[in-house]
Amino acid sequence: MVLNNNINKSELVALRSIEEVSKRLNVQQILGDDYNFKIKVRISHSVPHFWNSIQTVAESFYNKGLDVEVILSPLYPDDSLRLEQQMKEGNYRYIYSDDYSIKNDKPDIVVFNIAQAVDIFTSWGGLDVIRQNAKYIAVIPYDNSVKFESEDRMNAYYDILNNIKADIFIIAKPIYDVIKDKYANTIQMSSPKFDIIYRKMNCKSSVPEIWKKLTGKKIVLWTTVHGHDEWYANTFFVGLTLDVYIKDILHYFREHKDMGMIFRPHPAYIQELVQMHKIWTEEELKYIKDYFANSENMVWDDSTDYSNAFAMSDALITDDGTGITLSYLPTRKPICILRRNNIEFYSGTSSITKNYYKSHSFSELYDYFEMIRLGDDPLYEKRMNTVKDYVPVFDGKNGVRIVDKIMSDFKKKMSKK
């Protein structure tokens, strides 16, 4: 071979650089629009009641005809059956993390919907293994509300996620406002949770047979937070109110058969009551569930999806500090925050709940129930300002937009290699 004398050695080395050769031999670059290789997408799923936070993202990847598989990493053995049920209902291909090897699979895109980040990353082989074997990592946190008393607590949570060096870190507005300048690759997008709520609000769907006894009644949805012993900002987390209100609420609905109630306690709180603190025995839990089942106007909702309850109810009562304070907002229905008393209150969601009704005692809650019976909602217009601020778009397409953004970023990253 004869070299051009005008080319020096450094130029020759640059031309032969493996990085430059790799760029020129990138198959996607060579074939352009004819590149139809099935991109491997792997989606982490660990907690049954967080599926609504990732479901429409999974659907959107499937709809693009990609090679999609859901990796199940149950945090509790009892969750396995419910996780599998969700996969079978949607015809999703899935595998348990114990049987999955990211080293062998080498996926193109990995999506984490974080609940217990450390446990999930460990089940996949650890942060370094994930980062080395995945071309692109997207993180979509499950929480869409500020459930943290202090920014220090919030940042400590997201520091765990930051260690994975995600290519994109999608965060809903309430949290984004706090951490947007502290983490790389952050972007504000609305939660996929709202897509499922939108569907239920706009499409007729079947409800459990036992719920039909509520037909024709004004229905109140009652949800709880969890974390009885959680410690925030040098004080106990004061969101939980079940012990303060349950006796009076049950009495009210026994006496007002024209009103209906859907009771949806947080699954983690039931575990605290029965397993951690042993306040209720398994037999007592069954007894109270049967009590609801046998009543004329009350149901116990322990389904994995709260959107049926959202769609069927006319109003909400809930503890403070739960994501439902935001999730229920786009239904445009009345919301009442339950407080333990006039002294203790939770400030973590105050910007969201400022135009909500508040109850500091059952007598105030009684007035709220009567307001619902009459179809009144004096805070409606003010609450719509909160809707505009936190849920400006409610069209069921958040998952589609998230996937489009991920795919666009992924292709850009691959084209630079």
Side-chain angles (χ1 to χ4, degrees):
M1 180 179 66
V2 179
L3 296 178
N4 188 325
N5 292 330
N6 294 324
I7 299 179
N8 61 38
K9 187 175 181 180
S10 62
E11 291 174 325
L12 186 60
V13 170
L15 286 171
R16 291 271 183 165
S17 163
I18 193 64
E19 288 81 9
E20 294 302 316
V21 171
S22 178
K23 287 181 182 179
R24 290 193 291 273
L25 291 181
N26 180 281
V27 176
Q28 185 176 353
Q29 283 280 72
I30 293 170
L31 299 181
D33 292 339
D34 293 328
Y35 180 72
N36 292 316
F37 179 77
K38 272 202 170 186
I39 296 170
K40 286 184 181 180
V41 179
R42 303 296 179 252
I43 301 171
S44 175
H45 179 36
S46 59
V47 181
H49 59 271
F50 292 151
W51 179 237
N52 63 352
S53 299
I54 199 75
Q55 180 179 341
T56 60
V57 170
E59 289 176 3
S60 298
F61 277 122
Y62 269 93
N63 290 339
K64 288 185 177 293
L66 307 180
D67 175 0
V68 183
E69 189 168 42
V70 181
I71 316 300
L72 302 181
S73 305
L75 297 179
Y76 306 102
D78 293 345
D79 286 343
S80 297
L81 185 60
R82 300 182 83 178
L83 292 173
E84 284 195 25
Q85 181 183 354
Q86 290 172 334
M87 298 300 97
K88 291 173 181 177
E89 287 174 354
N91 293 318
Y92 297 105
R93 188 160 59 94
Y94 67 93
I95 186 174
Y96 280 97
S97 56
D98 289 345
D99 302 317
Y100 176 70
S101 170
I102 192 171
K103 290 182 179 179
N104 294 334
D105 189 30
K106 298 194 181 303
D108 297 293
I109 298 173
V110 171
V111 179
F112 286 105
N113 179 29
I114 302 301
Q116 300 291 333
V118 174
D119 292 338
I120 294 172
F121 294 153
T122 300
S123 72
W124 280 59
L127 293 176
D128 292 340
V129 171
I130 295 168
R131 185 67 272 182
Q132 289 167 10
N133 291 280
K135 295 177 183 175
Y136 184 97
I137 296 175
V139 174
I140 307 173
Y142 71 94
D143 224 337
N144 63 5
S145 183
V146 180
K147 191 195 168 184
F148 304 93
E149 180 68 24
S150 68
E151 289 190 21
D152 288 342
R153 290 278 309 196
M154 193 184 308
N155 287 318
Y157 174 77
Y158 283 99
D159 281 344
I160 298 172
L161 307 185
N162 199 45
N163 289 336
I164 201 169
K165 298 180 175 62
D167 295 280
I168 191 168
F169 196 178
I170 296 170
I171 312 167
K173 186 179 189 299
I175 298 175
Y176 181 82
D177 288 344
V178 178
I179 70 171
K180 61 185 176 183
D181 298 322
K182 301 177 182 178
Y183 298 90
N185 304 325
T186 55
I187 181 171
Q188 177 187 317
M189 299 185 79
S190 293
S191 171
K193 283 184 178 183
F194 293 121
D195 296 344
I196 306 301
I197 299 168
Y198 177 86
R199 290 178 185 178
K200 296 293 184 180
M201 296 298 298
N202 290 277
C203 303
K204 289 184 178 180
S205 59
S206 59
V207 297
E209 185 67 28
I210 196 170
W211 289 28
K212 293 180 181 178
K213 65 184 178 182
L214 303 179
T215 303
K217 304 178 187 296
K218 288 285 188 179
I219 302 170
V220 175
L221 169 61
W222 181 16
T223 71
T224 77
V225 73
H226 66 95
H228 178 80
D229 290 336
E230 291 189 34
W231 186 261
Y232 288 90
N234 298 316
T235 186
F236 277 117
F237 174 60
V238 294
L240 284 162
T241 61
L242 181 71
D243 59 306
V244 176
Y245 287 94
I246 186 169
K247 185 176 180 179
D248 288 325
I249 288 176
L250 293 184
H251 178 75
Y252 177 88
F253 283 95
R254 281 197 302 267
E255 297 295 314
H256 298 82
K257 298 298 176 60
D258 60 326
M259 296 282 285
M261 181 177 71
I262 300 171
F263 180 50
R264 186 180 174 84
H266 197 290
Y269 186 40
I270 296 301
Q271 288 180 337
E272 290 175 24
L273 290 175
V274 177
Q275 298 171 13
M276 185 185 302
H277 299 293
K278 302 187 186 304
I279 293 173
W280 288 346
T281 65
E282 291 286 356
E283 291 75 17
E284 287 173 328
L285 176 61
K286 182 180 184 303
Y287 189 91
I288 196 168
K289 284 186 175 183
D290 289 342
Y291 176 84
F292 275 80
N294 294 328
S295 74
E296 295 180 35
N297 59 338
M298 293 183 281
V299 298
W300 182 296
D301 179 17
D302 56 6
S303 64
T304 58
D305 179 6
Y306 54 48
S307 51
N308 268 332
F310 278 27
M312 195 169 180
S313 59
D314 297 291
L316 173 72
I317 58 174
T318 191
D319 296 329
D320 213 341
T322 168
I324 286 179
T325 58
L326 180 59
S327 298
Y328 197 81
L329 181 61
T331 69
R332 298 174 176 256
K333 300 171 184 178
I335 303 171
C336 180
I337 300 299
L338 304 181
R339 297 262 170 83
R340 296 188 66 87
N341 47 50
N342 287 309
I343 301 170
E344 295 179 293
F345 70 95
Y346 174 74
S347 63
T349 54
S350 57
S351 62
I352 298 170
T353 64
K354 60 184 177 181
N355 295 318
Y356 292 6
Y357 300 96
K358 309 293 191 311
S359 169
H360 303 86
S361 65
F362 181 73
S363 62
E364 293 181 351
L365 182 58
Y366 183 95
D367 292 339
Y368 177 75
F369 286 157
E370 293 302 294
M371 184 193 82
I372 301 304
R373 290 182 74 197
L374 297 173
D376 293 337
D377 186 4
L379 288 180
Y380 177 82
E381 294 299 334
K382 289 184 177 179
R383 198 169 63 254
M384 290 310 99
N385 292 328
T386 309
V387 173
K388 292 175 185 177
D389 192 21
Y390 285 100
V391 196
V393 179
F394 185 56
D395 60 3
K397 296 180 180 179
N398 291 334
V400 172
R401 283 186 284 268
I402 288 171
V403 169
D404 285 345
K405 176 61 178 173
I406 290 173
M407 292 303 298
S408 174
D409 282 6
F410 170 73
K411 290 178 180 177
K412 288 178 182 176
K413 180 178 180 179
M414 292 302 101
S415 68
K416 293 177 181 178
K417 286 192 172 183

